[in-house]
Amino acid sequence: MTMLDDAKQKLRGSIAPIVTPFHHDYTIDFSSFENLIDWHIDSGTHAISVTGTTGEPSSLTIEERVRVMETAKKKINGRVPFAPGTGSTNHQETLYLTKTAQEMGADAALVIVPYYNKPSQHALYKHFKAVADSVDIPIIVYNIPGRTATNLHVDTLARLSEDCPNIIGVKESNKDFEHVNRVLLKCGRDFLLYSGIELLCYPMLAIGGAGHISATANVVPKKIADLYNTWKAGEIDKALDLHFDLMELNDVLFKDTNPAPLKAALGMMGKIEPVLRMPMDLPTQELQNEIRDILKQHVALSDEITTN
């Protein structure tokens, strides 16, 4: 079995995109970060990603991103696969971070469509091909048009998957379900398709998806892992029940820009100090109250929940 075949087998299920905790002075809280990693692994999370959208990478310096990646890799210590986010709006930064991920032994790199620049499809092809050609590790493309203002077309992705053997999958934070169906049609059904839209995690499994990279895993990692586990085990009714059980929580966690509601929720659970770096900030008190009410329905021990 080749390295890429092995990765295609291992990188399935719930890949949790973990937040980057900060102290109140805005320095990175590495102690809480490491505790989150242990909690995720103990909860059954199948793989871990850091410095993706949920990890506030645009609020981190390049040096901080590398340190977060290194800390995660060391703490995970091979217990689950590790796929850090290495993309940037800057091509050279993306190359540097992706090469750094390979050097530290990451199992794959999650590379976002460059944001703000709005490159053409031809330019996106050149960007991702250059990144893939620069490393040997698997690449998971990250398409999130709501954040990047650019949608990676299915034909472009199919061309990349054909020309770059180490581009093995895509995280589609794309509400266009016709688009994600065509990804597997054009790229092949062994191409790894992950949902980045919480309400599409179950539907994507139903069409042959490899799993999900769901922000909601930050607060209920076991339930998000079990959504995949029950589906994989053929327990369709249980998977469907989980899908609907999670819907209200998924909705409230995206009533403000991710990861602001997540960090508020994790603060209520005593997992982190609920701090974001500006220009991001916590949700309004009204929304925090709503998050608290819904969170109580999902967190087993209600006394874990604290006020902010």
Side-chain angles (χ1 to χ4, degrees):
M1 182 180 290
T2 68
M3 177 184 68
L4 295 178
D5 289 334
D6 184 50
K8 285 188 174 185
Q9 293 301 315
K10 293 194 305 182
L11 290 166
R12 293 176 179 271
S14 173
I15 303 177
I18 297 181
V19 300
T20 304
F22 299 121
H23 293 294
H24 282 291
D25 64 358
Y26 301 109
T27 57
I28 298 173
D29 181 355
F30 284 103
S31 177
S32 292
F33 180 64
E34 292 182 343
N35 289 338
L36 288 175
I37 290 172
D38 281 337
W39 178 51
H40 272 276
I41 295 173
D42 291 343
S43 299
T45 290
H46 301 102
I48 285 173
S49 184
V50 300
T51 61
T53 301
T54 305
E56 296 174 78
S58 60
S59 296
L60 304 174
T61 66
I62 296 299
E63 292 75 19
E64 286 175 326
R65 287 185 67 169
V66 170
R67 190 177 172 200
V68 168
M69 290 161 58
E70 289 174 340
T71 302
K73 179 65 172 65
K74 183 177 179 181
K75 187 64 177 176
I76 293 167
N77 194 29
R79 290 179 288 171
V80 295
F82 175 50
T86 61
S88 166
T89 192
N90 182 297
H91 179 71
Q92 292 301 320
E93 287 179 0
T94 302
L95 288 172
Y96 170 73
L97 289 167
T98 307
K99 290 176 182 177
T100 300
Q102 174 170 276
E103 289 166 3
M104 68 176 62
D107 296 281
L110 181 67
V111 184
I112 194 169
V113 169
Y115 38 92
Y116 181 76
N117 294 330
K118 297 183 72 174
S120 67
Q121 296 300 306
H122 173 67
L124 286 172
Y125 173 85
K126 290 181 65 176
H127 168 74
F128 279 109
K129 187 175 189 307
V131 174
D133 287 348
S134 73
V135 293
D136 297 319
I137 60 171
I139 300 295
I140 299 168
V141 174
Y142 179 12
N143 189 31
I144 179 168
R147 289 269 193 160
T148 64
T150 300
N151 185 37
L152 182 68
H153 293 178
V154 173
D155 287 344
T156 307
L157 182 61
R159 185 181 170 204
L160 283 165
S161 69
E162 182 176 348
D163 294 349
C164 307
N166 60 330
I167 293 182
I168 65 169
V170 62
K171 175 185 177 181
E172 282 284 358
S173 293
N174 197 326
K175 293 183 178 181
D176 183 348
F177 201 60
E178 289 188 16
H179 172 103
V180 298
N181 274 269
R182 295 184 191 284
V183 167
L184 291 181
L185 177 67
K186 294 283 189 177
C187 297
R189 288 167 62 183
D190 63 339
F191 195 68
L192 302 182
L193 172 67
Y194 306 95
S195 177
I197 298 289
E198 276 59 29
L199 267 62
L200 294 184
C201 289
Y202 174 86
M204 282 204 200
L205 290 174
I207 64 168
H212 28 263
I213 306 176
S214 167
T216 304
N218 278 274
V219 295
V220 284
K222 185 178 186 305
K223 286 191 175 185
I224 302 301
D226 281 348
L227 182 62
Y228 176 82
N229 293 336
T230 52
W231 171 263
K232 185 69 174 175
E235 298 175 320
I236 307 305
D237 288 342
K238 286 186 179 180
L240 194 55
D241 287 344
L242 267 173
H243 168 72
F244 284 107
D245 175 60
L246 289 163
M247 192 173 291
E248 193 175 26
L249 179 61
N250 285 328
D251 285 344
V252 79
L253 289 177
F254 284 86
K255 285 192 173 183
D256 195 354
T257 304
N258 182 46
L262 281 181
K263 284 198 159 181
L266 286 167
M268 295 171 197
M269 296 168 64
K271 297 291 186 183
I272 66 169
E273 296 179 39
V275 177
L276 296 93
R277 284 182 176 174
M278 290 187 285
M280 300 289 285
D281 198 7
L282 289 171
T284 64
Q285 190 60 53
E286 180 182 8
L287 180 52
Q288 289 191 54
N289 292 340
E290 186 178 353
I291 292 168
R292 184 179 294 110
D293 289 342
I294 293 173
L295 191 61
K296 287 178 181 178
Q297 302 170 30
H298 293 270
V299 178
L301 300 176
S302 60
D303 59 359
E304 288 186 8
I305 303 174
T306 59
T307 57
N308 293 333

